Amino acid sequence: MELKRHISRLPNHILKPFGLKLVTSPKPSHDGQESAPIAPNYSKSKLPDGAADYLQPDNPKLKELQAAYANPSRHPLKEHMVWSDSLITSDDLRYFRGDNAYVWQMRGKNMNMLGYALTAYYVKAMDNLYLLRKLEEDDLFGIFTFRIDNKIISRDLLDSIIEIYFLERHLRISQWPRLNILDIGAGYGRLAHRFINALPNVENYFCTDAVAVSTFISDYYLGFRNVHHKAKTIPIYNIESALKNHTVDIAINVHSFSECTLPAVEWWLSLLESKRVKYLMIVPNTMDHDGKLLLTIQRKDFSKVIERHGYKLIAKEPKYSDECVQEYGIKPTYHYLYELT
C-alpha cells in the first residue's frame, strides 16, 4: 500500500519544480497504460436548461429524421450501414459527450491521467496559435475532464487542436481568406465547434452523418454552442443538393470511414471527386500498427478507393511527432492528407 501511494504521488513530484500540479475528475485507473474496458459511461454533470427535455428519444424532430433515414430511397448509404441508432442509448442522448460510441474517453490505450497529462503538455508545446488559451472546455453533457496546468482538458479539446494543427502545418489554413469544410461523419459536432472558435476565417462548416441520431444531436449542439451561423448540420439525404451551391475546400473524416463498409467509402469518394473537393483529411481508428493500411470495420484496406478517385497522398504523420508521446499519449493514431490531382 505504501508503494502504491508513492507511485500515485510521482507525477506531481516530477512536476512540482515547475509549479504544476495534476488534478483529475473523475479519478480513472492509472496503474497501467492500458485502461480497463468499461461500459458506456458519463460524468455526472448538470445539463443546460431545456436539454433534458429536448434530448429525448420521442422528440418529434428526431422521429422525423429517423423515419427519413430509414427510407432506402432517401438514404444513399442505407444498405451499406454498420453504425446504427441502436448504439446510442437514451442516456447517451442527454450525455452525448460521455464515454460512448461517439468518443472513447476512458477506454483503450493510455486513456488515463498520465496519458491525458502527457498529451496536454505536448499540445501546449506546439501551440503557436494559442488555441489552448482561446478554446474553452466545460463539464457539460457528461464529458470526462481533467484539470491540468490550471486548464480544464478533455479528449474533445485535445484531439480537435491536434487535428487543426495537422492541417495548419500542411495547408496553412489560418491564412486562407475563406475556408469551407465538409465534415463526413461529424458525430455530435465537436470538431465544427472547435474549428469555428479557433479560426475566424472559416466561412462554412458542413456537418453530415449517415446516422439520424447523430444529425439530431449535432444540430442541437451547434446551436447550443452558438456556432450555427457558420456550422450547418446537413442530413445525409440532402448533402448532394446542399453542396451544389457551395464550394468545399477540405473534407475531413475522423474515424467514420473506419466504421464504414467499402461501398460506403466508395460512395463518399465519388461525391468528393464530383464536387472537386481539393483536400481530404482522414483520421482512422482501425488500422495496422504503423499506419500502412487504412482499414474499414471489415478489415479491408480503403486507400485504393481513395486513389482510384484521383486523390494522391501528400502527407502522412503519426498523431504525435514525438515517439514517446506517440507511444504513451491518448489514443495514438495516424493522420493522412490527400490532394485531388
Side-chain angles (χ1 to χ4, degrees):
M1 289 297 294
E2 184 61 32
L3 177 60
K4 188 174 182 179
R5 283 194 294 269
H6 177 73
I7 292 173
S8 68
R9 297 189 191 106
L10 184 58
N12 281 327
H13 177 75
I14 295 171
L15 295 173
K16 186 175 180 180
F18 302 96
L20 304 175
K21 184 178 181 180
L22 301 183
V23 180
T24 176
S25 177
K27 184 180 179 182
S29 169
H30 52 85
D31 292 334
Q33 282 305 103
E34 191 69 32
S35 302
I38 59 174
N41 196 10
Y42 55 87
S43 177
K44 305 299 189 292
S45 59
K46 292 182 179 180
L47 291 173
D49 290 344
D53 293 331
Y54 186 83
L55 297 170
Q56 291 287 342
D58 60 355
N59 184 300
K61 186 168 185 176
L62 175 56
K63 290 293 187 181
E64 181 182 345
L65 282 168
Q66 288 173 327
Y69 272 61
N71 186 344
S73 66
R74 301 194 68 187
H75 194 327
L77 300 178
K78 181 64 179 175
E79 62 181 296
H80 305 304
M81 289 293 295
V82 176
W83 215 99
S84 70
D85 285 348
S86 63
L87 294 175
I88 299 299
T89 68
S90 59
D91 278 345
D92 291 332
L93 262 180
R94 293 181 293 278
Y95 299 99
F96 55 85
R97 299 182 77 209
D99 185 284
N100 54 36
Y102 288 119
V103 179
W104 281 13
Q105 298 187 65
M106 308 301 292
R107 286 176 282 178
K109 187 176 181 180
N110 307 332
M111 306 302 282
N112 52 46
M113 182 181 72
L114 295 181
Y116 271 83
L118 181 62
T119 303
Y121 284 108
Y122 172 86
V123 169
K124 184 176 181 179
M126 64 182 283
D127 192 16
N128 56 9
L129 294 178
Y130 305 106
L131 298 187
L132 272 176
R133 295 184 193 175
K134 185 180 295 187
L135 304 181
E136 298 294 331
E137 187 53 281
D138 49 42
D139 66 349
L140 296 179
F141 305 107
I143 195 166
F144 288 92
T145 60
F146 297 76
R147 182 170 289 276
I148 299 171
D149 194 17
N150 203 34
K151 173 80 176 180
I152 300 176
I153 294 297
S154 68
R155 183 179 174 193
D156 174 318
L157 179 65
L158 295 175
D159 277 2
S160 297
I161 291 175
I162 291 170
E163 288 153 9
I164 290 169
Y165 273 120
F166 174 75
L167 290 173
E168 176 65 13
R169 282 194 302 277
H170 295 286
L171 300 179
R172 293 290 183 261
I173 55 173
S174 66
Q175 305 302 313
W176 292 28
R178 291 181 300 276
L179 186 59
N180 294 280
I181 295 174
L182 170 65
D183 195 333
I184 300 170
Y188 66 79
R190 61 99 182 163
L191 190 54
H193 167 223
R194 301 303 186 185
F195 243 104
I196 290 169
N197 286 335
L199 301 178
N201 59 317
V202 174
E203 185 174 50
N204 290 296
Y205 196 111
F206 302 104
C207 295
T208 192
D209 204 291
V211 180
V213 68
S214 300
T215 301
F216 171 73
I217 293 173
S218 173
D219 182 67
Y220 167 82
Y221 187 64
L222 297 178
F224 172 78
R225 293 299 187 187
N226 294 316
V227 296
H228 53 295
H229 59 296
K230 291 185 176 183
K232 302 168 180 65
T233 302
I234 312 295
I236 187 71
Y237 48 81
N238 286 339
I239 190 62
E240 291 184 83
S241 60
L243 295 183
K244 283 182 180 178
N245 301 318
H246 293 92
T247 299
V248 172
D249 304 304
I250 304 170
I252 299 176
N253 184 276
V254 178
H255 298 165
S256 67
F257 280 172
S258 299
E259 298 167 354
C260 288
T261 63
L262 213 54
V265 177
E266 183 84 52
W267 186 89
W268 279 114
L269 265 295
S270 296
L271 178 64
L272 297 182
E273 182 186 13
S274 70
K275 301 302 180 184
R276 308 304 297 170
V277 176
K278 184 68 172 176
Y279 297 102
L280 169 62
M281 176 185 175
I282 295 176
V283 183
N285 64 358
T286 304
M287 62 182 187
D288 61 328
H289 178 68
D290 57 2
K292 289 181 180 178
L293 300 176
L294 288 167
L295 301 177
T296 67
I297 197 167
Q298 298 160 327
R299 307 295 293 177
K300 294 183 179 180
D301 183 16
F302 62 85
S303 60
K304 299 301 181 185
V305 174
I306 300 172
E307 295 166 2
R308 190 164 62 247
H309 286 276
Y311 285 88
K312 178 182 178 182
L313 183 66
I314 60 172
K316 171 195 161 186
E317 296 175 355
K319 179 178 176 179
Y320 307 104
S321 59
D322 186 287
E323 290 184 8
C324 177
V325 187
Q326 180 69 2
E327 178 67 24
Y328 297 106
I330 61 171
K331 199 65 177 177
T333 183
Y334 282 75
H335 293 168
Y336 298 74
L337 183 62
Y338 289 85
E339 181 178 8
L340 184 63
T341 60

